[in-house]
Amino acid sequence: MLHTRTCFALVVFALLVPTANAGEYDWPQWMGPNRDGLTKETGLLKEWPEDGPELAWMVRTVGFGYAGPSIADGKIFILGSVDGETYLMALDENDQGKQLWAALIGEDFDNGWGDGPRSTPTVDGDRVYAMAATGTLICCQVSDGKELWRAKMQDMGGSIPTWGYAESPLVDGDVVICTPGGPQGSVAALDKMTGSIKWQSEGVTDGAQYSSVVKAAPSDRQQYIQLLEKRIFGLDPASGEVLWQQDDWPGRVAVIPTPLTQGNQVYISSGYGVGCRLIELGSTGTDPTTVYDNKVIKSKHDGIVLLDNNLYGYSDGGGWTCQRLRDGKREWSEKGKLGKGSIGYADGMLYCLAEKSGEVVLLDATTEGWQEHGRFTLSPQTEFRNPKGGIWCHPVIANGKLYLRDQELFFAFNVKAE
């Protein structure tokens, strides 16, 4: 297994510094501040040098896995597998990625496509929440990694999906939202201070998939929206009551991308030949109507960005694609210039990462076609990646840096313009 080849030691110690609020350009959770893949950061490079942006630092101490980073208040939080066990780690954002502490979650999840964790930690004030692929959710102090509580998805009726729990927990008000799946309720709300269960969605009991919950407020009706294999639905935040649902989504094998919302619209996509759908909710934030179903974007696990009413991402079989939100029509697609991969966004630019080659490309976020402004190939690359795996962590842009991960290798590139 990958963990038997680990050749580095954990450096664990406490950093006793008061916690401040997250910075304006921090990335405190999966898909950024608002779970939409967008950031308000400006002043970034619009053109890269021939060999790519400057490498600020690279560390080999984050362990194995496919978990992405969150960044808040000068710290980077990331999950990794070390010697067969999953840890939540904190790194110093401003000191070359120096490890500050590591909190043990437990035994690793083993899988034929690569072992270890798959989700992004969520930072909320002086606490950080993280989900291991085995279904253990922990809450730790940001300052020193002290564990405050833990909860297991299996204790809520869940069972580990084929490729492990990959959801990133949502913190909203006084609750943490997660998706154990199963007969006790697919989605659960836990008290964020204690981990005790507040409610489970008795009206939806499907097994867990790999998408993460988002919060939306169509027609001012606040709700949690989640996508499972055959079902997309909205839940009342106070009770977990099902506000609306569609149970005809033709998901298969693995349903992964997080729903995107805008006003009363909900956009979803899945790979393995499924495609995408735009749903319009009624004037009460319920009563869903399908606007279109098509296969313009079939996103497996590569992420989608919604910007100025246009969607950008990689579509299986169709290549890199721009799609109009309102009617689902394709604005452009490009198959030949970069292989399948994930996408990030900042300051009017798209950051596209090819999962097999490690090529990274900077593009204009435009409906006018593929307009490239630099590329480089990630180097070095891990020697330990499972042959069936890829560079599956999405690009993250925060505080003037581009963060990329390839298993135990974690990179920070300077992308701030001078």
Side-chain angles (χ1 to χ4, degrees):
M1 307 304 292
L2 290 176
H3 55 252
T4 62
R5 306 180 70 174
T6 305
C7 59
F8 58 89
L10 285 171
V11 180
V12 184
F13 60 92
L15 183 72
L16 300 176
V17 177
T19 300
N21 292 328
E24 183 179 7
Y25 301 137
D26 280 352
W27 192 268
Q29 62 175 328
W30 166 241
M31 294 184 70
N34 300 308
R35 288 211 163 195
D36 56 6
L38 305 181
T39 170
K40 295 179 180 179
E41 186 160 2
T42 59
L44 304 182
L45 292 171
K46 302 292 186 178
E47 198 84 33
W48 284 348
E50 184 175 352
D51 55 353
E54 175 192 25
L55 177 65
W57 49 262
M58 186 269 288
V59 296
R60 299 175 181 265
T61 56
V62 296
F64 301 121
Y66 299 112
S70 56
I71 297 101
D73 190 30
K75 298 182 181 67
I76 300 167
F77 301 91
I78 197 164
L79 290 159
S81 164
V82 179
D83 292 328
E85 294 182 305
T86 295
Y87 289 83
L88 168 62
M89 308 176 198
L91 313 179
D92 192 323
E93 179 186 10
N94 301 308
D95 189 11
Q96 303 291 304
K98 180 181 180 180
Q99 191 179 101
L100 303 175
W101 53 257
L104 175 65
I105 301 180
E107 186 176 351
D108 264 347
F109 172 77
D110 297 333
N111 183 263
W113 294 77
D115 302 341
R118 281 99 162 90
S119 72
T120 300
T122 300
V123 185
D124 178 61
D126 59 0
R127 295 183 173 215
V128 56
Y129 303 81
M131 175 87 78
T134 55
T136 297
L137 172 65
I138 67 167
C139 170
C140 293
Q141 291 183 164
V142 161
S143 61
D144 58 10
K146 177 184 177 182
E147 183 178 319
L148 301 175
W149 58 259
R150 65 173 52 209
K152 295 184 178 180
M153 299 303 102
Q154 293 86 338
D155 293 339
M156 302 174 217
S159 57
I160 301 175
T162 302
W163 287 281
Y165 281 98
E167 166 185 49
S168 301
L170 170 68
V171 178
D172 177 44
D174 61 358
V175 296
V176 182
I177 306 299
C178 56
T179 309
Q184 295 173 214
S186 298
V187 177
L190 311 182
D191 185 301
K192 75 175 185 181
M193 302 304 289
T194 67
S196 61
I197 299 174
K198 289 201 164 189
W199 54 253
Q200 283 191 246
S201 59
E202 295 179 1
V204 178
T205 57
D206 306 31
Q209 280 286 301
Y210 309 94
S211 182
S212 296
V213 176
V214 294
K215 187 179 183 181
S219 298
D220 295 324
R221 184 70 179 265
Q222 293 193 356
Q223 54 189 267
Y224 301 131
I225 296 175
Q226 178 60 303
L227 175 64
L228 299 177
E229 184 175 14
K230 304 294 184 184
R231 194 183 311 269
I232 174 76
F233 55 93
L235 300 176
D236 183 89
S239 64
E241 176 189 357
V242 179
L243 300 176
W244 63 270
Q245 64 177 306
Q246 290 186 338
D247 60 3
D248 61 343
W249 182 243
R252 55 188 301 271
V253 185
V255 171
I256 305 169
T258 298
L260 293 171
T261 67
Q262 179 173 273
N264 279 38
Q265 297 175 317
V266 181
Y267 178 91
I268 56 176
S269 181
S270 296
Y272 302 96
V274 174
C276 59
R277 173 180 293 180
L278 181 66
I279 300 163
E280 183 86 26
L281 300 178
S283 59
T284 61
T286 58
D287 303 320
T289 300
T290 298
V291 179
Y292 58 78
D293 270 310
N294 67 37
K295 298 182 184 297
V296 171
I297 290 185
K298 296 171 285 186
S299 179
K300 186 179 290 184
H301 49 62
D302 307 306
I304 306 166
V305 171
L306 171 58
L307 183 68
D308 297 330
N309 294 303
N310 294 290
L311 299 141
Y312 300 87
Y314 188 88
S315 177
D316 282 359
W320 294 92
T321 300
C322 174
Q323 179 187 31
R324 291 202 304 252
L325 177 67
R326 67 178 185 274
D327 58 12
K329 302 296 184 182
R330 181 184 290 107
E331 290 282 7
W332 58 261
S333 61
E334 175 56 59
K335 293 184 180 181
K337 292 191 168 81
L338 188 70
K340 178 181 182 299
S342 57
I343 193 167
Y345 167 84
D347 196 14
M349 309 300 286
L350 301 173
Y351 296 71
C352 302
L353 168 65
E355 66 181 40
K356 291 299 184 183
S357 67
E359 289 179 279
V360 188
V361 174
L362 184 69
L363 295 180
D364 274 329
T366 176
T367 59
E368 302 301 316
W370 182 278
Q371 297 183 16
E372 185 172 328
H373 293 274
R375 72 167 59 203
F376 70 99
T377 299
L378 196 63
S379 180
Q381 294 183 23
T382 184
E383 300 175 4
F384 307 118
R385 190 188 315 133
N386 189 293
K388 292 193 291 185
I391 305 174
W392 286 336
C393 293
H394 296 194
V396 167
I397 303 94
N399 299 316
K401 289 187 171 56
L402 165 65
Y403 293 98
L404 300 171
R405 179 185 188 171
D406 183 14
Q407 296 295 321
E408 84 282 12
L409 306 178
F410 186 54
F411 302 80
F413 294 90
N414 289 320
V415 291
K416 188 77 172 176
E418 294 184 1

